[in-house]
Amino acid sequence: MRSALKYMHNYLTVGICLLMLCLTSCGYEKPDDGLIDLRFRAYIQKEKNLVRAAGYESLGLADVEAFQASVVVSNGERFNTTSIAWDGSNLSSNMRIEPGEYWFYGFMPLNNNASFNLATKTLSIPNIAPMGRSEAMLIKASNAVITSGENTVVLQMDRMLAKVSPYFYVNLEYQSLRDIQIKEVVLRLPSASTQTAIINYSSDPYVLSWNSENIHREYVETFPVATPVNLPTTIADALSIGEVFICPGQSVANLEMTVTYDVYDKAGTLMRENATATNTILVNYNNLERASNYKLYIQVMHTYLYKLSDYDESSVLLIK
């Protein structure tokens, strides 16, 4: 009996060893497809906070919201398009390519109707809203030689749109009589057209141009205030409410802002509820510069005070 158990034990041991050898052999015999995993590291152009500020500075992705971007990868003879995704902390891609020299182009957000012409190195991105809440960026052309091992391609993403950010404060003289709380800001661009961005990568630096499409309609963005508060009286403490991105090729002469507000006396009694005031807010600008943040400091002022003031009308929201 003991001999039989010993024999069975040896049999099981040999069987397990053979199974392990088979599994190991299968692992080694798996064919290598010769493709290399490709990683991307992206940097975003820092926006200009002053209208006429000069210079360019790359910015990491720490404060950038999640997005998906299209990346065009070319070896000079053919190209393929893949996508990369930023989830707020990590940049991921499923790109695997053969060793060789490659050129990289691209844009965000994803646009299924975009096209790339390899012969002219021209990227066309249609149906970009003239005004909206979403930013659009393009990837500067970059070149890399991909070899075996770990490969990381650095992408520089340039901002394609301008940003408009209203900031509100109240006239000190009027504040001594009344408190104002803004409840909603609406930005309206009447009869505007969608745009096609055309990026020509054949020159260095690239050339970005805009073509208006034959789709005209009104664009409206509404920004409600969850918890209205009394407006401050200084620019330094001005209250930021709403921001939109605008195509540089789009005229902003007719950009309107409507503000809904409540008025209280100094005892806290509601004097006027859901009053509205509408002004054009960019009358001094024909077109906006991309990658610029136009921080508009808007003083809320009663009409009878404005008649005595020397303020530029474009920076004053007149109320009645």
Side-chain angles (χ1 to χ4, degrees):
M1 181 68 178
R2 182 174 301 175
S3 175
L5 290 175
K6 181 178 180 182
Y7 173 80
M8 185 176 295
H9 177 269
N10 291 337
Y11 175 80
L12 290 174
T13 302
V14 172
I16 292 173
C17 291
L18 288 174
L19 179 61
M20 293 179 64
L21 286 173
C22 288
L23 292 175
T24 304
S25 176
C26 290
Y28 282 127
E29 290 177 357
K30 181 181 178 180
D32 187 354
D33 57 13
L35 299 180
I36 298 171
D37 290 325
L38 196 61
R39 298 181 180 180
F40 293 100
R41 180 178 299 137
Y43 294 89
I44 293 177
Q45 180 184 19
K46 187 176 181 180
E47 65 186 10
K48 305 170 188 176
N49 287 319
L50 298 176
V51 174
R52 292 180 176 83
Y56 175 91
E57 182 179 355
S58 293
L59 182 69
L61 294 175
D63 299 321
V64 179
E65 294 182 355
F67 65 81
Q68 282 188 299
S70 289
V71 178
V72 178
V73 184
S74 171
N75 64 356
E77 298 179 355
R78 60 186 184 277
F79 71 91
N80 193 15
T81 302
T82 186
S83 64
I84 57 176
W86 170 252
D87 64 5
S89 59
N90 295 296
L91 189 67
S92 60
S93 170
N94 58 357
M95 187 68 183
R96 305 187 74 226
I97 59 177
E98 298 176 347
E101 185 176 16
Y102 292 88
W103 287 261
F104 301 86
Y105 318 91
F107 60 93
M108 61 98 20
L110 290 176
N111 185 322
N112 293 329
N113 295 318
S115 61
F116 182 72
N117 186 315
L118 181 59
T120 60
K121 296 182 180 178
T122 300
L123 178 63
S124 297
I125 311 171
N127 198 31
I128 297 178
M131 181 184 78
R133 300 187 185 218
S134 299
E135 191 162 17
M137 300 187 190
L138 63 89
I139 296 173
K140 296 177 67 174
S142 60
N143 174 251
V145 176
I146 306 303
T147 60
S148 60
E150 185 175 300
N151 289 264
T152 300
V153 176
V154 175
L155 303 177
Q156 288 186 321
M157 304 177 70
D158 282 0
R159 300 177 188 271
M160 298 171 64
L161 309 180
K163 185 193 295 184
V164 174
S165 306
Y167 287 75
F168 298 88
Y169 65 107
V170 67
N171 175 270
L172 180 60
E173 185 175 350
Y174 186 63
Q175 191 272 339
S176 65
L177 303 173
R178 297 285 187 267
D179 287 320
I180 294 180
Q181 295 185 358
I182 293 179
K183 302 173 72 174
E184 182 181 80
V185 174
V186 177
L187 295 174
R188 178 179 292 101
L189 193 60
S191 188
S193 62
T194 54
Q195 303 280 324
T196 294
I198 302 174
I199 303 99
N200 188 334
Y201 286 109
S202 62
S203 60
D204 187 17
Y206 62 83
V207 177
L208 169 62
S209 58
W210 297 92
N211 286 342
S212 295
E213 301 171 1
N214 295 321
I215 305 174
H216 292 80
R217 68 176 181 85
E218 182 179 65
Y219 286 80
V220 179
E221 294 294 340
T222 302
F223 301 92
V225 179
T227 308
V229 296
N230 293 341
L231 287 182
T233 58
T234 64
I235 289 180
D237 298 321
L239 186 64
S240 173
I241 304 177
E243 64 179 27
V244 291
F245 295 95
I246 296 179
C247 285
Q250 171 63 48
S251 171
V252 292
N254 296 323
L255 178 63
E256 292 182 348
M257 178 180 65
T258 298
V259 175
T260 301
Y261 60 95
D262 291 342
V263 180
Y264 295 84
D265 65 15
K266 302 311 290 185
T269 302
L270 180 62
M271 306 295 293
R272 298 182 63 199
E273 185 177 17
N274 294 329
T276 62
T278 299
N279 284 130
T280 54
I281 59 173
L282 287 172
V283 294
N284 290 335
Y285 304 102
N286 292 323
N287 297 104
L288 303 183
E289 180 184 353
R290 70 187 182 98
S292 292
N293 184 2
Y294 291 76
K295 292 185 176 181
L296 304 179
Y297 292 94
I298 300 168
Q299 186 182 62
V300 178
M301 182 183 295
H302 201 284
T303 51
Y304 73 80
L305 289 174
Y306 178 72
K307 294 175 183 178
L308 303 177
S309 74
D310 295 323
Y311 289 100
D312 182 353
E313 186 177 0
S314 64
S315 63
V316 176
L317 178 70
L318 301 180
I319 64 175
K320 296 178 181 180

